[in-house]
Amino acid sequence: MPTGPSLIDRARLQDEFLELVSISSLSRREGAIARRLEVILKGMGADVSVDDAGERIGGDTGNLLARFTGTAPSAPAFLLSCHMDTVGPAAAIHPVVEGDIVRTDGTSVLGGDDKAGIVAVLEAIRVLRERTIPHGDVEVLLTISEESGLMGAKHFDAGRLRARRGLVLDVDGVSELITRAPAANRMTFSVHGWSAHAGMCPEQGLSAIQMTADAIAAMRLGRLDAETTANLGVIQGGLAGNIVPDRVVVRGETRSLDPAKLARQTEHMRQCFEAAVASRSVRVGGREHQARVEVEVHHQYDRLDVPDGAGIVTLVQSAAAALGRACPTRATGGGSDANVFTTRDIEVANLACGMREIHTVNEWVDVKDLVLTAELLVEAVRQNAAA
Ligand SMILES: [Zn+2]
């Protein structure tokens, strides 16, 4: 079927991208873009529903699920999912077009993360329908609050999906498939010491800052191996230079493609804090004060681990080959909604969709990459029905 002139309407794709990135959609504030996307998807012939995830997480819209009825009745349903929210700064976005490149005026992110994925999905479905290319049911799931901890995906009832297989489009690069992504734990350490006047009686204090320093000095952080990372990102504590500080709060995380390594590093970070406060006490006015640490571990998400022989991988690679391209698999260090869907028994991988330098005001997109991604989706959905 493919090769020959592109089926993609490049001008339509670019116009839609410019329109959608111009609509501000910070996490929990996706209402405006959700309403616009609902109109677009209904106009394309989809049944659209919005769930109650927004109410449950304090947002102004829920996840949007659009179902396009298949034209090849026996073909399996296919999921295409992107997120509607963006990180900031993004109160107002002014896209600037220079040739094939779209960036911003430098005052905000572009929001190609993840609107590059959304426009590729919309354009691919338009082409499938205009060209009457046989396809099974296509379910388009546009989530909220991915950037604030995959909250929309976590609150989505995956039992509503017919598709057992599909793609998340939410990673930088183009024509690459992310099949491995780490599991992550977020951690908060609250170190409790005892305060005292720093000049008159420092020996009556237990410095939470000093104990925290001891803990961190003993800790393995950064890139621990090819699969595992750890970071402390926030330290808060102390009141004044002349007070022995009685409290420090440290926030951090660890991630690993290997669940055993994730557990081991989490335990290591806990142990460093516990060792630093162990048997540290002070006696003041006949009372013994023992230093202590409270450790909170929040398991953010499970890993994504799709084997290279999985159906979704061979489908996408076969579609790419039909277009004369390669689509190698790779691992990433970041989580996405795919990490959630994979735990709901949906076979998903994360397809690169042309976003670049994401989460910065230098973010940009090459429209040619949007075209390549839309072409790959058309062919993947076509082959999914032909199989
Ligand atoms: Zn994203």
Side-chain angles (χ1 to χ4, degrees):
M1 158 119 207
T3 60
S6 177
L7 301 172
I8 304 304
D9 185 335
R10 186 194 185 288
R12 176 171 67 183
L13 181 52
Q14 176 171 327
D15 287 349
E16 187 152 69
F17 183 69
L18 293 174
E19 185 202 342
L20 294 182
V21 296
S22 301
I23 303 172
S24 174
S25 61
L26 291 159
S27 300
R28 295 187 171 80
R29 294 292 173 268
E30 305 93 341
I33 198 160
R35 282 191 298 275
R36 178 67 189 128
L37 287 164
E38 188 171 354
V39 169
I40 291 171
L41 287 158
K42 282 182 173 164
M44 291 167 60
D47 284 327
V48 181
S49 58
V50 179
D51 72 8
D52 64 352
E55 289 149 47
R56 290 197 268 154
I57 67 169
D60 60 3
T61 178
N63 299 301
L64 201 150
L65 176 60
R67 182 174 286 111
F68 291 89
T69 304
T71 54
S74 60
F78 199 73
L79 172 68
L80 294 170
S81 182
C82 307
H83 64 86
M84 295 186 284
D85 62 316
T86 75
V87 296
I93 300 102
H94 305 287
V96 176
V97 182
E98 295 163 4
D100 289 323
I101 307 300
V102 183
R103 51 178 89 246
T104 70
D105 60 3
T107 62
S108 72
V109 299
L110 178 62
D113 176 5
D114 192 15
K115 290 161 186 171
I118 294 177
V119 294
V121 168
L122 295 176
E123 178 62 20
I125 293 171
R126 283 197 189 97
V127 168
L128 286 162
R129 296 175 80 80
E130 287 168 359
R131 307 274 174 154
T132 60
I133 298 167
H135 62 85
D137 284 359
V138 178
E139 292 175 313
V140 178
L141 174 58
L142 302 176
T143 62
I144 57 173
S145 294
E146 189 273 349
E147 300 287 6
S148 62
L150 319 180
M151 295 304 286
K154 286 178 182 175
H155 285 87
F156 176 75
D157 173 10
R160 297 174 57 214
L161 294 175
R162 290 181 196 153
R164 306 321 301 162
R165 178 177 289 173
L167 291 169
V168 167
L169 290 91
D170 186 18
V171 74
D172 58 333
V174 68
S175 223
E176 289 182 312
L177 195 59
I178 303 305
T179 50
R180 284 157 291 139
N185 283 341
R186 200 165 50 196
M187 278 167 279
T188 303
F189 307 94
S190 304
V191 178
H192 298 266
W194 195 255
S195 62
H197 191 292
M200 295 195 302
C201 51
E203 52 282 290
Q204 292 183 8
L206 277 173
S207 169
I209 288 180
Q210 245 175 350
M211 290 183 287
T212 299
D214 290 346
I216 297 172
M219 199 176 291
R220 295 188 299 270
L221 291 169
R223 172 160 301 285
L224 305 171
D225 61 37
E227 299 183 311
T228 314
T229 59
N231 183 58
L232 297 177
V234 176
I235 295 185
Q236 294 164 311
L239 291 172
N242 60 0
I243 302 172
V244 177
D246 69 345
R247 184 134 192 264
V248 170
V249 176
V250 180
R251 295 178 205 282
E253 60 153 47
T254 179
R255 308 178 187 213
S256 183
L257 297 171
D258 178 343
K261 288 178 180 173
L262 182 79
R264 217 175 303 142
Q265 175 65 15
T266 302
E267 190 52 29
H268 164 67
M269 293 168 81
R270 176 202 300 277
Q271 286 291 334
C272 287
F273 275 98
E274 283 178 354
V277 301
S279 65
R280 298 286 290 272
S281 65
V282 70
R283 200 165 179 85
V284 185
R287 273 188 66 197
E288 190 79 6
H289 301 287
Q290 175 69 50
R292 64 191 170 84
V293 62
E294 288 159 39
V295 182
E296 281 170 56
V297 178
H298 172 68
H299 184 61
Q300 275 189 288
Y301 44 83
D302 289 322
R303 70 172 166 170
L304 178 70
D305 185 27
V306 183
D308 273 354
I312 186 62
V313 177
T314 54
L315 173 71
V316 172
Q317 291 185 334
S318 164
L323 297 165
R325 290 180 224 152
C327 187
T329 60
R330 70 172 169 96
T332 178
S336 75
D337 286 346
N339 290 62
V340 177
F341 301 145
T342 193
T343 66
R344 311 284 198 263
D345 279 332
I346 301 166
E347 189 184 84
V348 281
N350 186 354
L351 182 65
C353 58
M355 59 176 82
R356 308 280 180 173
E357 293 189 58
I358 58 171
H359 295 206
T360 78
V361 297
N362 304 313
E363 190 188 353
W364 57 280
V365 157
D366 185 330
V367 177
K368 295 194 297 294
D369 290 341
L370 305 182
V371 172
L372 291 173
T373 305
E375 285 173 346
L376 186 54
L377 290 182
V378 169
E379 182 59 13
V381 174
R382 188 190 75 80
Q383 289 196 13
N384 186 58

